[in-house]
Amino acid sequence: MGQITLLRTMTGKSIIGFGRYADMSVQQVIDLRKAPYLRWLYFNFTKITFTDDILDEINLWEEFRIDKPGKCPEKHKRLSGLLYDRLHYKSKKHIDKRIKSSKIKKMVNFRKHDHKAFSKDKLTRNNHGHK
């Protein structure tokens, strides 16, 4: 008979096994500076947790840790906001640029059939406040 996994505690050597970084270990994901992804996993997956040293390394403070098995996406949003507020001005500017560029990419993909969506005339009118 199959055994039901109630809680999976991951260490630095644990292979994630699903998602974007399925074939990587937790430490490799941290080395790629993708700690926000690991925080997202912690808060949004009921049966996944990390050891205390990994939680400290991905900036998940004691007051934001939750009882597992369980999830709490609201705490993730609050923690992400706090971490964003603690960043330096240059880092915030870089993150804002990445968010803006991803929105532009979505717009381009949405308007692929409209080849005049980003014509010189259209962009000039938008920069001058016209729609």
Side-chain angles (χ1 to χ4, degrees), residues 27-41:
Q27 189 60 49
Q28 288 173 330
V29 174
I30 292 172
D31 292 343
L32 288 175
R33 296 184 181 172
K34 300 295 181 182
Y37 177 72
L38 295 176
R39 283 193 299 268
W40 181 83
L41 285 178

Side-chain angles (χ1 to χ4, degrees), residues 17 23 33 36 48 53-54 67 81 83 88 112 116 126-127:
D23 57 342
R33 296 184 181 172
I48 292 181
D53 60 328
I54 297 294
D67 294 329
L83 290 172
H88 294 95
K112 266 188 176 173
K116 292 188 177 186
N126 284 344
N127 284 337

Side-chain angles (χ1 to χ4, degrees), residues 12-112:
K13 293 182 181 179
S14 300
I15 302 296
I16 294 176
F18 62 90
R20 185 181 296 167
Y21 305 105
D23 57 342
M24 296 181 139
S25 70
V26 172
Q27 189 60 49
Q28 288 173 330
V29 174
I30 292 172
D31 292 343
L32 288 175
R33 296 184 181 172
K34 300 295 181 182
Y37 177 72
L38 295 176
R39 283 193 299 268
W40 181 83
L41 285 178
Y42 177 80
F43 284 112
N44 290 295
F45 282 80
T46 320
K47 298 178 182 181
I48 292 181
T49 188
F50 300 98
T51 56
D52 288 336
D53 60 328
I54 297 294
L55 292 174
D56 291 337
E57 198 168 345
I58 63 174
N59 293 326
L60 213 150
W61 307 309
E62 288 286 334
E63 59 265 17
F64 284 97
R65 295 183 187 175
I66 58 177
D67 294 329
K68 290 291 193 160
K71 64 181 183 176
C72 187
E74 298 82 26
K75 276 192 177 183
H76 177 253
K77 287 181 183 177
R78 249 189 346 197
L79 177 63
S80 296
L82 285 174
L83 290 172
Y84 179 79
D85 290 340
R86 288 182 173 205
L87 288 176
H88 294 95
Y89 174 73
K90 287 183 179 181
S91 299
K92 286 182 184 178
K93 196 172 180 182
H94 177 70
I95 290 172
D96 292 340
K97 275 185 180 180
R98 283 182 39 201
I99 291 170
K100 186 177 178 182
S101 68
S102 68
K103 287 180 181 177
I104 289 173
K105 284 179 189 175
K106 287 178 185 174
M107 261 182 11
V108 168
N109 289 337
F110 182 71
R111 296 183 179 186
K112 266 188 176 173

